[in-house]
Amino acid sequence: MHLRVISPADRTDEVLDLLTRDPAVANLVVHRGAAIDPAGDVVIGDVARESADEVVTALKKLGIASSGSIALDAVAVALSHRNSEAEHAAPGDGGDAVVWDEIEQRTGEESRLSVTFLLFLTIATIIAGIGVLLDQPILIVGAMVVGPEFGPLAAFCVGVVRRRPRVILRSLVALVVGFAVAIAITVLSTLALDALGLVDREMLVNPRPLTDFIWRPDALSWVVGFLAGVAGILSLTTAKSGALVGVLISVTTVPAAGNIAVAIAYGAPEEAWGSAGQLGINLGAIATAGILTLAVQRWARRRRAQAVTGSS
């Protein structure tokens, strides 16, 4: 990862001492007096992802985050023998490394209730509602991919593990308000489509063998949600982000919300309550799995830090 530090002039020597002593840091460059706002010196270099979290933590202990600036960027290509040495010196594997400040910032952005979040969630829920009525799994899968609800769920898990009450509150507000708005608009859209003659109540009450699992939760619903939560958090916290799409397709949060909406629109309380149970089970399973996964990763990081300190 590319590291850029803006350090007050009187702290730069401490920063350089910290970075030069770490074998996982390479290609250090110093620009004295180059920074304008905040004023100070600019120190740049490369750090192996496995040690990025420890380096950032050490810089924060020097007060650089409050008096200067710390920035990290992922490097797509780095051709350097010194970089290879830094990666070899860093403990662990870069693909499994967790940079906690990176995760906090990434999920913190996802925890906010925004117009874009509401639009995506509403569109996804409407698609899911139509998929339920047509008994079309392809529409259900499409709704799962469009739905943005995993962002606030991940932020909630990070907030719990990192003890960030504001992040927890923002995430809960985004989820509760987001699903409430999406379900309400989907109810109205269902009634509008019914008035146009495009859908009708018979489509809901007739047998739907391909999608009726949405409102009939069972123990496997919890198991699938839990496993998806583990995979989702791992895809966010490590360099394995390609797995996230599969996670989104494996849980029935948005489809359950869509089924709630059409069931309310057509007065089918049994399906509405069953879908609400499915939604609650999936949200709870993902949150539980996410919190446990992050807690294990944090414990492993502390064990590794203690091992490194003991060996030194």
Side-chain angles (χ1 to χ4, degrees), residues 201 204-205 215 259-260 262-274:
R201 192 176 190 280
L204 180 70
V205 299
W215 65 277
N259 209 121
I260 291 172
V262 296
I264 291 174
Y266 284 128
E270 182 181 0
E271 283 207 27
W273 283 114

Side-chain angles (χ1 to χ4, degrees), residues 37-303:
D37 184 19
D41 304 327
V42 178
V43 181
I44 60 176
D46 296 327
V47 56
R49 183 179 177 88
E50 303 93 299
S51 295
D53 194 64
E54 286 77 8
V55 169
V56 170
T57 300
L59 289 170
K60 289 166 69 176
K61 289 181 179 179
L62 290 178
I64 302 302
S66 56
S67 60
S69 172
I70 305 170
L72 276 175
D73 292 304
V75 177
V77 179
L79 304 178
S80 166
H81 177 68
R82 182 65 189 90
N83 276 2
S84 299
E85 290 180 338
E87 290 182 347
H88 182 72
D93 183 85
D96 298 327
V98 179
V99 184
W100 286 97
D101 289 281
E102 176 190 35
I103 300 306
E104 276 200 49
Q105 289 209 355
R106 185 190 304 175
T107 57
E109 295 172 359
E110 299 289 337
S111 68
R112 292 177 174 85
L113 180 65
S114 63
V115 174
T116 302
F117 175 79
L118 288 174
L119 285 174
F120 271 110
L121 188 56
T122 299
I123 290 170
T125 306
I126 292 174
I127 293 173
I130 295 173
V132 165
L133 293 173
L134 296 178
D135 196 31
Q136 285 294 332
I138 189 65
L139 294 179
I140 300 300
V141 171
M144 291 174 175
V145 175
V146 174
E149 75 283 359
F150 188 77
L153 274 171
F156 172 80
C157 297
V158 173
V160 171
V161 174
R162 300 283 280 178
R163 299 177 183 178
R164 303 288 191 265
R166 290 185 179 180
V167 175
I168 295 173
L169 181 60
R170 284 203 309 263
S171 303
L172 291 175
V173 169
L175 288 170
V176 173
V177 175
F179 274 112
V181 170
I183 290 172
I185 294 178
T186 303
V187 170
L188 296 177
S189 71
T190 302
L191 295 175
L193 292 173
D194 184 86
L196 293 172
L198 299 177
V199 298
D200 57 60
R201 192 176 190 280
E202 293 302 313
M203 299 171 72
L204 180 70
V205 299
N206 284 339
R208 290 180 286 117
L210 299 180
T211 58
D212 65 353
F213 70 92
I214 294 174
W215 65 277
R216 291 175 176 172
D218 53 23
L220 286 178
S221 300
W222 173 268
V223 173
V224 171
F226 186 88
L227 295 176
V230 172
I233 291 298
L234 287 176
S235 71
L236 287 178
T237 57
T238 65
K240 307 283 192 299
S241 58
L244 187 56
V245 174
V247 172
L248 300 177
I249 297 175
S250 63
V251 291
T252 54
T253 48
V254 166
N259 209 121
I260 291 172
V262 296
I264 291 174
Y266 284 128
E270 182 181 0
E271 283 207 27
W273 283 114
S275 302
Q278 182 75 269
L279 178 60
I281 287 173
N282 277 274
L283 292 176
I286 293 172
T288 301
I291 292 170
L292 291 176
T293 302
L294 287 169
V296 170
Q297 288 178 309
R298 194 178 190 187
W299 172 81
R301 180 231 178 185
R302 289 177 175 174
R303 285 290 301 272

